[in-house]
Amino acid sequence: MTNTNPHITSAEWEVMRVVWANHSISSRQIIDLLTSILAWKEGTIKSLINRLVQKGLLIKEENKRPSSYQASISELEALASHVQLLFNQTCQRQRGQLLHTIIEQQELSQADCRLLIDQLNQKLDHAPERLACQCPVGQCHCHQHPNKEG
Ligand SMILES: [Zn+2]
């Protein structure tokens, strides 16, 4: 995962999901699928595909007929980078609480739970007692209570 991944809009996300689900797919198939799922116009979908190619998120396989598209990034990588951007928008002291809220709201399988427990146990061994606030002054609560330890 890199932080150079371009932002994917929600409309572009619909196209990416089709490509991720099909590995390699022609623009005709993308258009047929999305016009049936979302009732979008063909021209709209074509320009979304072109924009995703320009952003480097879709790769056109020129040697194939009809020409097909592949994603340059996995779905999980794209999601993780999207979520990381959101986490970067809040104080790192708040991120644990945010994760707690997110986990509370999700349906998780037993395997998911075990994976999370294992990972937290590993983190716990190396976790600092408290995290430092790295926010600019005036953008989080930490600076309003400088003597209160988070
Ligand atoms: Zn802060």
Side-chain angles (χ1 to χ4, degrees):
M1 188 182 75
T2 64
N3 57 8
T4 55
N5 291 329
H7 176 68
I8 304 174
T9 66
S10 26
E12 290 166 353
W13 209 278
E14 300 290 346
V15 177
M16 291 304 289
R17 284 196 72 178
V18 170
V19 181
W20 282 320
N22 293 277
H23 186 60
S24 171
I25 187 168
S26 71
S27 59
R28 183 74 264 153
Q29 290 172 297
I30 297 175
I31 289 162
D32 288 348
L33 269 164
L34 284 178
T35 46
S36 68
I37 301 173
L38 297 166
W40 282 356
K41 293 205 168 65
E42 179 161 342
T44 308
I45 300 166
K46 279 183 176 165
S47 40
L48 285 170
I49 293 172
N50 287 334
R51 214 193 296 159
L52 285 164
V53 170
Q54 280 166 17
K55 287 184 173 183
L57 290 159
L58 286 186
I59 296 162
K60 193 173 182 180
E61 301 171 292
E62 303 282 0
N63 51 345
K64 274 201 184 172
R65 289 231 159 251
S67 60
S68 300
Y69 295 89
Q70 272 192 14
S72 68
I73 176 176
S74 78
E75 185 168 16
L76 197 60
E77 280 175 326
L79 284 168
S81 138
H82 208 66
V83 170
Q84 188 58 53
L85 280 179
L86 288 178
F87 273 77
N88 291 347
Q89 288 172 7
T90 189
C91 181
Q92 72 170 2
R93 284 182 164 178
Q94 283 196 59
R95 292 178 199 168
Q97 187 62 45
L98 178 57
L99 279 169
H100 173 83
T101 305
I102 290 169
I103 289 169
E104 201 172 33
Q105 291 168 350
Q106 299 309 309
E107 290 283 352
L108 296 171
S109 71
Q110 291 187 5
D112 291 331
C113 292
R114 284 191 202 100
L115 197 68
L116 287 166
I117 290 166
D118 282 353
Q119 191 166 51
L120 282 176
N121 277 326
Q122 279 176 38
K123 285 250 182 207
L124 185 57
D125 289 341
H126 308 285
E129 199 169 321
R130 54 173 59 93
L131 294 168
C133 167
Q134 297 170 328
C135 306
V137 174
Q139 281 203 322
C140 91
H141 290 293
C142 303
H143 301 289
Q144 290 168 17
H145 313 282
N147 298 322
K148 195 177 134 195
E149 293 290 316

